[in-house]
Amino acid sequence: MRNRGMGRPQVVAVWGSGILVITAAAAACLLRGMFFAREMYGMLAVWFVLCAAIAASSIYINGGYKSGGTAVKIVLGGPLLILVLYAFHLLHSPLSVQGTVNELLRWGLYASFAFFAFLCAGTRRGFRLLAVVWHGLGITISLSALLTVCGGLPLRFAVAYTASPEVSVTGARLGGLLQYPNAFGAVMAVFLLERMFALAPGEAAARHHARGEHRAFRAARQPLRMLPLFPYAAALLLSESRGALLAAACAAAAALLWKRRLAAPLLAAGAAPVAAAALFYRQLARTGLAVEPLPGLLLLAGFWAGALLAGLWLCRRSRLAAGGTRAALLLLAAALWTAAGTAVLSQVRERISGPSATVSARGLMYRDAWKLAGEAPWLGQGGETWHSAYLATQSRPYVGSQVHSGYLDFLLNLGIAGVAVLLLLLLAAVWMTGRDALRLLPPLLVIVLHAAADFDWSYGLSWLLLFLLLAMAHAESRQRVTAVSGTHAVLLRPAFNRRAHIRGFMGVKRAGLRLILICICLTFSWLSFQMRMGEKLYSQAVRTAEPAAQITLLRESLGWNPRDSKAAVVLAGLLPGEQGRDLLRSSLIYAPEDPGLHWALAGSYMGGDDPGKALYWVRRSLQLDGFNAAKQAKAAEGMLELGRRNLVKGDQQRAAASASAGLELLRQYRLLAVQERSKGGQHNDRRFEYIEPADMLNMELEELLAAVYAEQAAASGIRLSRFIPSSAGR
């Protein structure tokens, strides 16, 4: 049944938007939280075609932002500004063209998702759909992780194992669909706080009154509303994410400072589920998250049922009781919270109180990132800057292709301009939720706070959750306005004003803007399709054993996506010398500081006969990846082989130059290794050290140089003997 006041184009737009919101949410679950861009290309190609179809089928869609105030305009305009900044970089030689295109496509997805989510929020059915998507995401992400541990669900890499007690006290941490415990813990904290604050009686009553729900119906809904609390809390604790727990505590405290009257209801609502989750965590921690499927399922079901029943009883009793009875119940709730905290802290005490290698590693990484940001402070260096440059920037041999701070990542990619847009967007988001839907402020703050110390924003899921929260806050605000005014008209009537519709249809300017939007969507779809085909052909090539077939597939892959440096490196290794070098040099246009391309060029020249060019590319490659012991030794070995070939050819000058260059490379390698060893092995994740074969290489290079000098001396003696008379010695 159609909403009153909405024509057919608007109905198509709203329902099409709902389908796209569901599609994005499903893709986030299936694609590991949308972390790897290469896994998103196929989905993005379809996504942007659907966006173009909706834009073409809807004559004029305002999306509700005109009636949403300045904050809504900033929230919807912020992603578009970020998109423009990445497009600007794409036209001005970024550090990585591939990385910039990846970010361009990502922000095209985020911007369109935000628009469609807000469009759904403009109708009651659309708001219900957003709620279904939200809860479906939470339950899917949490239960898939718990069932992997307790039910034998074959979810690869859902549990991260480690032998380091500084990383995990149990030796195993739950990462779920995201495969990274810290990001998974932050997502679970977001869902947990949303449910806990949704159970606050004052907030819930206002929302249900706006919907016109009866008291009996609200009571029947109570078990459903409390149902997800236990799995969210259990999954959060099993992630062992200290940052997620701290962000959740700070976010809840900030909201309670705003409305202190919510403290008692929250105390009662969360006591039983959190206490049960703490006991569940202790039980699994003893086994290192290794549980047989049937006992594990029984354990999960038992704790879940107990948490739900105890939570319902405590909430109902504390709400109906008064005076001393209510105080006693709240005291019981506080005791349960204390017991839960004690149970968890006693398990992870050493990891919290002791020195943390991960914290110090982040500090080291942040210092290197600040140094890199200083190279382009205003506009940054384009998409995936840290991933492209961290090997050249790092001051210690740590492993970290992610900078572990969303704000620093923005600074590196888009400079101060990008960070300013981001902060403006987040301030508008906090203002919206704090004003219109306080229950959504704590989960939003978790996203904002945790991203400061980790790379949550590299997951597309985090941005989808943020825009879902804001769309729901906008819908609740409009519902409240509609309930107060006593009208039952469509919530976004100003957004679908028929006069504006006619003006939009007749106006050439708006028709032109709509055409531009369709063209942009189709361009993004074509870009995504190109990347998808290139990735698919590359994957086929690396699985093929026949060199001729590999060359054909890799050429086709680069034909679809010439920006892919890894395909260029593999193909160059299969081509004759100069052809391979030409390919590598042309690929440097798209990634001028890619360590793989430079090392491949160095290897190609070391296979030739020119020590000068070989040494240039070797040094350039080692500047971009200095803490690589294998490359350091391989470079010296390559110069040794080059020198031997030149000596066989009789080119003593080039042979001597090659040997001298190899000895100098080994000397610098030795000095760097000694310097690194003097700093201790705490951050030597790449195990950079002076390896024993390097001493043998040093001896062989010295022998080669001695042989060159001996030949030169012998040749000089022969030449001198021509000028000495035969009787001179008599």
Side-chain angles (χ1 to χ4, degrees):
M1 181 176 177
R2 225 163 38 192
N3 286 304
R4 288 183 295 170
M6 291 178 61
R8 186 180 301 276
Q10 287 80 12
V11 172
V12 170
V14 171
W15 284 105
S17 299
I19 292 172
L20 283 176
V21 168
I22 294 172
T23 300
C29 293
L30 296 174
L31 301 179
R32 298 187 279 184
M34 294 182 175
F35 180 79
F36 297 101
R38 64 177 181 270
E39 296 180 348
M40 298 171 59
Y41 296 145
M43 172 261 177
L44 288 174
V46 177
W47 172 270
F48 289 118
V49 168
L50 293 176
C51 291
I54 291 179
S57 63
S58 304
I59 297 175
Y60 175 58
I61 301 174
N62 193 2
Y65 65 84
K66 282 192 175 180
S67 59
T70 305
V72 175
K73 293 177 183 178
I74 292 174
V75 166
L76 293 178
L80 294 177
L81 287 176
I82 293 172
L83 192 68
V84 168
L85 287 173
Y86 278 119
F88 172 82
H89 273 293
L90 198 58
L91 300 174
H92 292 82
S93 301
L95 199 61
S96 169
V97 175
Q98 172 90 359
T100 304
V101 172
N102 286 341
E103 291 298 324
L104 189 74
L105 295 176
R106 281 183 179 272
W107 280 96
L109 168 65
Y110 304 154
S112 54
F113 178 86
F115 176 83
F116 292 127
F118 272 78
L119 191 59
C120 285
T123 64
R124 292 188 181 89
R125 289 182 179 177
F127 176 44
R128 293 192 189 105
L129 184 142
L130 291 180
V132 169
V133 170
W134 176 268
H135 296 305
L137 271 172
I139 289 296
T140 300
I141 295 171
S142 61
L143 283 188
S144 60
L146 293 175
L147 289 177
T148 300
V149 175
C150 300
L153 183 69
L155 192 62
R156 295 183 62 192
F157 309 117
V159 179
Y161 296 98
T162 177
S164 173
E166 294 182 347
V167 178
S168 172
V169 293
T170 63
R173 297 176 60 185
L174 194 57
L177 288 168
L178 278 65
Q179 300 181 1
Y180 179 56
N182 289 348
F184 174 74
V187 169
M188 289 295 96
V190 167
F191 283 107
L192 177 63
L193 288 188
E194 186 277 332
R195 277 295 82 200
M196 287 182 62
F197 277 81
L199 291 169
E203 297 295 310
R207 291 196 312 277
H208 294 311
H209 176 71
R211 298 173 190 167
E213 293 180 0
H214 192 269
R215 184 186 298 272
F217 183 66
R218 295 203 301 269
R221 285 169 55 95
Q222 185 74 358
L224 290 176
R225 293 167 58 221
M226 291 195 66
L227 190 63
L229 282 178
F230 170 77
Y232 293 165
L236 170 59
L237 293 179
L238 289 171
S239 73
E240 280 191 29
S241 174
R242 297 169 297 181
L245 287 171
L246 182 60
C250 292
L256 290 177
L257 285 175
W258 197 319
K259 284 194 176 181
R260 297 181 183 178
R261 62 182 177 81
L262 297 180
L266 288 175
L267 196 67
V274 171
L279 292 176
F280 183 72
Y281 165 71
R282 286 294 297 263
Q283 186 70 23
L284 292 183
R286 295 172 187 160
T287 63
L289 306 192
V291 186
E292 292 294 327
L294 182 58
L297 285 174
L298 293 175
L299 185 70
L300 176 62
F303 273 102
W304 195 353
L308 180 60
L309 294 175
L312 285 171
W313 176 85
L314 189 56
C315 279
R316 192 168 300 165
R317 293 283 296 175
S318 63
R319 190 164 53 247
L320 298 176
T325 304
R326 187 170 188 274
L329 290 171
L330 291 178
L331 187 61
L332 174 61
L336 288 175
W337 275 96
T338 304
T342 303
V344 174
L345 289 175
S346 63
Q347 183 71 30
V348 299
R349 181 180 61 253
E350 293 182 2
R351 188 162 176 256
I352 293 176
S353 60
S356 175
T358 57
V359 172
S360 60
R362 276 178 170 80
L364 182 64
M365 196 178 298
Y366 294 164
R367 288 194 294 273
D368 293 341
W370 274 111
K371 187 192 308 179
L372 179 61
E375 297 178 7
W378 295 107
L379 291 174
Q381 301 187 63
E384 299 182 6
T385 293
W386 178 256
H387 180 77
S388 304
Y390 82 98
L391 291 175
T393 304
Q394 61 182 189
S395 55
R396 297 289 305 277
Y398 51 76
V399 175
S401 59
Q402 294 287 331
V403 75
H404 287 269
S405 173
Y407 300 93
L408 265 179
D409 198 39
F410 257 83
L411 183 64
L412 293 172
N413 289 357
L414 299 178
I416 295 173
V419 173
V421 175
L422 173 67
L423 293 178
L424 185 62
L425 189 156
L426 295 179
L427 286 173
V430 171
W431 171 259
M432 276 184 63
T433 51
R435 181 195 62 185
D436 300 332
L438 183 62
R439 72 181 183 91
L440 300 178
L441 178 60
L444 176 71
L445 289 178
V446 171
I447 297 175
V448 172
L449 293 174
H450 194 264
D454 228 313
F455 53 89
D456 306 10
W457 286 342
S458 295
Y459 286 89
L461 174 64
S462 296
W463 290 106
L464 300 191
L465 293 180
L466 185 144
F467 290 120
L468 270 176
L469 282 169
L470 296 178
M472 290 192 294
H474 180 57
E476 289 191 13
S477 171
R478 298 195 61 80
Q479 277 194 343
R480 193 173 296 112
V481 170
T482 303
V484 170
S485 64
T487 61
H488 298 282
V490 61
L491 294 177
L492 282 187
R493 181 174 301 212
F496 297 115
N497 186 278
R498 289 191 179 276
R499 286 178 294 177
H501 164 87
I502 295 171
R503 289 196 302 269
F505 180 74
M506 299 300 294
V508 176
K509 185 181 293 185
R510 283 177 178 166
L513 289 175
R514 182 162 61 98
L515 182 60
I516 291 173
L517 177 63
I518 293 171
C519 291
I520 291 174
C521 289
L522 293 178
T523 301
F524 281 11
S525 178
W526 177 244
L527 262 177
S528 303
F529 181 73
Q530 285 182 319
M531 308 274 267
R532 167 63 181 158
M533 289 300 297
E535 189 67 30
K536 180 181 178 181
L537 291 167
Y538 171 77
S539 299
Q540 292 177 2
V542 296
R543 291 195 300 266
T544 302
E546 180 62 35
Q550 273 190 318
I551 291 174
T552 301
L553 290 170
L554 288 169
R555 286 188 186 277
E556 292 179 3
S557 173
L558 287 172
W560 283 103
N561 181 20
R563 300 167 291 271
D564 189 359
S565 59
K566 65 181 185 298
V569 168
V570 177
L571 178 57
L574 300 172
L575 296 177
E578 197 56 39
Q579 290 186 31
R581 292 172 200 146
D582 289 341
L583 174 62
L584 292 169
R585 282 192 292 264
S586 64
S587 296
L588 284 175
I589 298 173
Y590 301 106
E593 296 190 16
D594 184 270
L597 291 174
H598 284 81
W599 179 246
L601 273 167
S604 177
Y605 278 108
M606 283 189 292
D609 57 5
D610 190 337
K613 290 182 178 179
L615 182 61
Y616 169 80
W617 287 106
V618 164
R619 289 193 181 280
R620 180 65 180 143
S621 177
L622 293 179
Q623 285 175 357
L624 297 175
D625 187 13
F627 291 110
N628 190 320
K631 281 186 181 179
Q632 293 276 6
K634 192 71 177 176
E637 183 181 354
M639 298 307 293
L640 173 64
E641 296 300 325
L642 193 155
R644 285 173 173 172
R645 288 195 304 272
N646 281 323
L647 184 61
V648 170
K649 292 178 182 179
D651 194 336
Q652 298 167 356
Q653 183 177 359
R654 286 189 169 181
S658 300
S660 299
L663 288 169
E664 179 60 20
L665 288 173
L666 282 178
R667 186 186 72 83
Q668 293 176 359
Y669 170 31
R670 188 184 302 108
L671 289 175
L672 185 60
V674 169
Q675 180 184 8
E676 177 57 33
R677 187 168 61 248
S678 67
K679 297 178 182 178
Q682 184 178 16
H683 299 298
N684 193 359
D685 304 325
R686 302 177 66 187
R687 298 181 180 178
F688 179 76
E689 56 187 12
Y690 192 76
I691 56 180
E692 291 184 5
D695 288 328
M696 182 63 69
L697 283 172
N698 192 84
M699 184 175 65
E700 291 178 355
L701 284 164
E702 288 177 346
E703 291 176 353
L704 173 62
L705 194 60
V708 172
Y709 288 156
E711 288 196 8
Q712 289 177 342
S716 298
I718 293 172
R719 288 196 297 271
L720 288 172
S721 66
R722 296 176 182 175
F723 300 98
I724 299 176
S726 56
S727 60
R730 297 176 183 174

